[in-house]
Amino acid sequence: MNSGKDTSAIPSPLVGKPAPDFALPVLGEPDRIVRNADLLGAPYLLNVWGSWCPACRDEHPVITRLAESGVIKVVGYDYKDTTEDAQRWLQQFGNPYDLVITDEEGRAALDWGIYGAPETFLVDAQGVIRWKHVGPVTDEVVDAQLLPLIEDLR
């Protein structure tokens, strides 16, 4: 239990700092490696999820609507999952992501300060983390927090 505290409000020491370096494979394409430098040039939302995560299922329609709106590129970060389970999950619930990177061991997640899933980061065009949300992103979070921040990045 979280003793009634709002864990989504935990400040991240990474906000305002460059996104950590990573080199992770694309889901289902183990030879295609994506690095954080590959994502520079446009803001993006990094959405941490896993097929094993019940709250990710609750959040998925919200992330899907945001991705479909076209206001920001959404990158999926499949966390501590098998390729087969992740692909099955995306087949079942839909794949809203422009790109899905995978961290089966969870090693790169440590540098991001990822404790679990879902977690979501807003990264600007220069690769600086501007926002972090722990727990499911809701429509209210999108409207009150995320969309104003995305607008500020334009």
Side-chain angles (χ1 to χ4, degrees):
M1 294 296 287
N2 68 9
S3 67
K5 293 184 178 160
D6 180 4
T7 56
S8 67
I10 296 171
S12 170
L14 295 178
V15 172
K17 296 190 174 131
D21 286 332
F22 65 85
L24 291 169
V26 172
L27 181 65
E29 299 178 53
D31 296 331
R32 184 175 160 210
I33 303 299
V34 173
R35 291 168 174 75
N36 58 331
D38 298 329
L39 299 174
L40 296 176
Y44 65 93
L45 200 66
L46 185 76
N47 178 239
V48 181
W49 64 278
S51 65
W52 47 266
C53 164
C56 296
R57 187 177 297 189
D58 296 337
E59 171 188 72
H60 199 68
V62 176
I63 296 298
T64 298
R65 283 191 295 277
L66 185 62
E68 288 173 349
S69 77
V71 298
I72 192 155
K73 176 180 182 172
V74 182
V75 176
Y77 187 113
D78 182 37
Y79 177 63
K80 291 190 174 181
D81 216 348
T82 67
T83 296
E84 296 76 21
D85 287 346
Q87 288 175 325
R88 188 176 315 111
W89 195 88
L90 289 173
Q91 249 182 342
Q92 184 176 353
F93 299 108
N95 184 351
Y97 303 109
D98 290 278
L99 173 72
V100 178
I101 55 178
T102 186
D103 187 1
E104 282 191 37
E105 302 298 318
R107 287 196 186 108
L110 296 174
D111 295 335
W112 283 82
I114 294 168
Y115 299 103
E119 293 188 21
T120 305
F121 298 82
L122 176 63
V123 182
D124 70 17
Q126 292 74 43
V128 175
I129 296 172
R130 296 297 173 189
W131 179 81
K132 178 182 180 181
H133 184 80
V134 176
V137 171
T138 62
D139 288 323
E140 294 76 22
V141 168
V142 169
D143 292 341
Q145 298 177 36
L146 197 48
L147 290 179
L149 288 169
I150 292 169
E151 189 60 37
D152 287 346
L153 296 179
R154 292 181 177 207

